[in-house]
Amino acid sequence: MKSIIALMDYKAKFGSKHFDTPYRSGLDKKKLSGYFVELEYKIEYMYLNEINLETQNYKDKDIIYTSSEDIGYKYKSYIEDIMYSLELSGAHIIPGYKHLKANNNKVFMELMRQYLHLTNNLKSRIFGSMKDLCMHLDSIKYPTVLKTSGGASGTGVFLLKSEKELITKVKEINQRNYITDMRDYGRSIKHKGYIKESLYREKFILQEFIPELKNDWKVYIFGDKLYVFNRPLLKGRGIKASGGGYDNYFYGLEAEAPDGLFEYALSIFKKMDVPHISIDIAYDGSDFYLIEFQSIYFGTAGIPYSYGYFTKTNTGWEFIAKKLEIEKVYADSIVVYLQSKNISTSNTLSITQ
């Protein structure tokens, strides 16, 4: 039986699960282990703090792991250090480090969209300070959508209609430290020619605005299973479909996904090279737009809310009216991925629905 290391945080939490018990405890590790055993894989749970690259060899080890949404992403930064070092040491971390870096980091997510050529017809620009922005003010078209680099459920997303609104919002999203600002001002007095730091250095994204949308679609792909739900733009939420409340969304067949949506999502999934992904897609009646994606530690509410999933067959997309636990869906996706990458030496296992 093949082994997989699963790295937990200091609270023994692994992954993200809607309706978890206790609250915010992540995936049920006992259930997850059971589903992996059914697939002839053994899970070895470890704390992130148990990793020791000096005394232990992780080369060619298959490692799955959790991320974190702690306040200020301080612990997530620690996880990034651990996982990047494991990847450099030759471990097979799943998904790769770049996906962890993009998790709740929309600036890097945008850079991934660019280098994977997924920007398509929705362009965006990233900035690291007010001074960066001021170099390009003349070329910005309005209205435009500003996104802070962090934030979920529609937080940190703003529709701006003028240069004045843009500059005001960039100031608002920054938390200044007036003591360090005064010290820097002192340097400019003391040292001739010294250029002061920008007072506003919170990185952000400007994304093209897609007018007259009534909804977007959230698509999960876990291996060979696709979940979809339709998120209407609710009154009072402006351009934000995310965060509108799961009871207000439409799932599975009721999502009424337009022709081509699943193929578009699948093309993104294949380019990402991951076992699972969450994709936000807009459609204006003629074109699809990739708004955002996450490939680790994303919300999974669409699975318990759905009464089935789609899978691709030789004749097209078939809806399977069967509820599955997130632990099974997750385990299946990891094993399908391992087999497709030939990381495992045993590639004869068939995933059952």
Side-chain angles (χ1 to χ4, degrees):
M1 184 175 288
K2 295 287 292 182
S3 293
I4 301 175
I5 297 172
L7 295 178
M8 312 173 293
D9 68 10
Y10 61 92
K11 295 187 289 185
K13 179 179 180 179
F14 181 84
S16 173
K17 179 181 180 179
H18 204 74
F19 299 130
D20 49 0
T21 304
Y23 178 61
R24 291 195 172 185
S25 59
L27 297 176
D28 185 313
K29 294 189 291 296
K30 184 176 180 180
K31 285 184 178 180
L32 187 62
S33 293
Y35 285 124
F36 269 108
V37 168
E38 290 177 6
L39 301 170
E40 300 181 6
Y41 279 76
K42 179 183 178 182
I43 289 293
E44 178 187 354
Y45 291 106
M46 292 178 60
Y47 287 101
L48 284 150
N49 61 51
E50 292 181 292
I51 293 296
N52 189 320
L53 295 171
E54 185 177 21
T55 61
Q56 298 168 318
N57 181 13
Y58 300 97
K59 184 175 174 56
D60 297 328
K61 297 285 187 181
D62 298 331
I63 300 177
I64 55 179
Y65 60 99
T66 192
S67 185
S68 175
E69 291 182 344
D70 62 308
I71 297 173
Y73 302 113
K74 298 180 185 298
Y75 197 76
K76 179 181 182 285
S77 177
Y78 167 73
I79 296 173
E80 288 184 2
D81 293 341
I82 296 291
M83 300 317 300
Y84 188 42
S85 66
L86 282 168
E87 187 171 89
L88 291 175
S89 73
H92 297 139
I93 72 166
I94 307 168
Y97 169 74
K98 61 187 177 184
H99 297 284
L100 173 61
K101 186 172 180 61
N103 177 234
N104 288 309
N105 181 348
K106 295 178 184 178
V107 163
F108 187 70
M109 184 193 304
E110 288 300 313
L111 291 169
M112 284 189 66
R113 282 206 323 141
Q114 291 175 17
Y115 90 78
L116 289 171
H117 303 290
L118 294 170
T119 51
N120 195 14
N121 44 9
L122 183 64
K123 303 301 181 182
S124 63
R125 303 169 74 171
I126 59 174
F127 299 98
S129 72
M130 178 71 83
K131 288 189 176 182
D132 287 324
L133 173 65
C134 288
M135 295 179 191
H136 300 273
L137 282 174
D138 291 343
S139 62
I140 295 172
K141 297 180 180 180
Y142 300 92
T144 187
V145 177
L146 183 148
K147 296 181 179 181
T148 58
S149 190
S153 299
T155 60
V157 179
F158 310 94
L159 179 62
L160 306 173
K161 299 179 181 179
S162 68
E163 181 178 303
K164 181 179 179 181
E165 288 187 5
L166 173 58
I167 292 174
T168 298
K169 186 57 65 177
V170 171
K171 291 180 179 180
E172 287 179 0
I173 65 174
N174 279 265
Q175 293 184 342
R176 289 180 55 184
N177 185 319
Y178 288 94
I179 294 176
T180 57
D181 288 348
M182 287 300 296
R183 288 174 179 169
D184 196 52
Y185 177 73
R187 294 187 189 101
S188 68
I189 297 175
K190 183 177 180 180
H191 303 285
K192 184 179 179 180
Y194 173 75
I195 299 175
K196 292 183 293 183
E197 301 283 356
S198 173
L199 298 177
Y200 309 99
R201 300 185 301 279
E202 196 72 44
K203 61 185 179 181
F204 62 95
I205 303 102
L206 292 183
Q207 193 173 74
E208 288 182 331
F209 172 61
I210 308 170
E212 300 181 6
L213 293 179
K214 294 181 173 60
N215 66 282
D216 74 5
W217 277 270
K218 170 77 81 173
V219 176
Y220 302 152
I221 300 180
F222 280 78
D224 54 5
K225 300 176 180 66
L226 183 151
Y227 291 83
V228 61
F229 50 104
N230 178 325
R231 305 189 300 185
L233 294 175
L234 302 175
K235 185 177 180 180
R237 290 192 56 79
I239 61 171
K240 304 173 186 178
S242 178
Y246 291 105
D247 292 332
N248 297 315
Y249 301 154
F250 301 93
Y251 301 86
L253 294 173
E254 294 180 358
E256 298 182 344
D259 291 342
L261 176 68
F262 295 169
E263 292 298 332
Y264 179 71
L266 186 62
S267 68
I268 295 169
F269 176 63
K270 289 179 177 179
K271 282 190 175 183
M272 291 293 175
D273 186 26
V274 289
H276 39 251
I277 195 169
S278 170
I279 314 172
D280 296 352
I281 300 172
Y283 180 60
D284 64 3
S286 58
D287 294 315
F288 294 104
Y289 303 86
L290 170 60
I291 306 298
E292 293 181 5
F293 67 88
Q294 295 286 356
S295 39
I296 183 173
Y297 204 76
F298 50 84
T300 56
I303 294 176
Y305 272 89
S306 297
Y307 55 93
Y309 58 91
F310 292 87
T311 190
K312 190 172 185 180
T313 67
N314 292 332
T315 58
W317 290 92
E318 179 183 354
F319 184 73
I320 308 297
K322 185 176 183 180
K323 273 185 170 287
L324 297 174
E325 291 190 300
I326 177 59
E327 287 83 2
K328 174 171 176 52
V329 175
Y330 178 88
D332 285 355
S333 73
I334 295 295
V335 174
V336 166
Y337 180 77
L338 287 173
Q339 292 179 338
S340 70
K341 302 300 290 182
N342 292 319
I343 293 175
S344 171
T345 57
S346 174
N347 293 306
T348 59
L349 186 62
S350 175
I351 302 299
T352 57
Q353 296 174 349

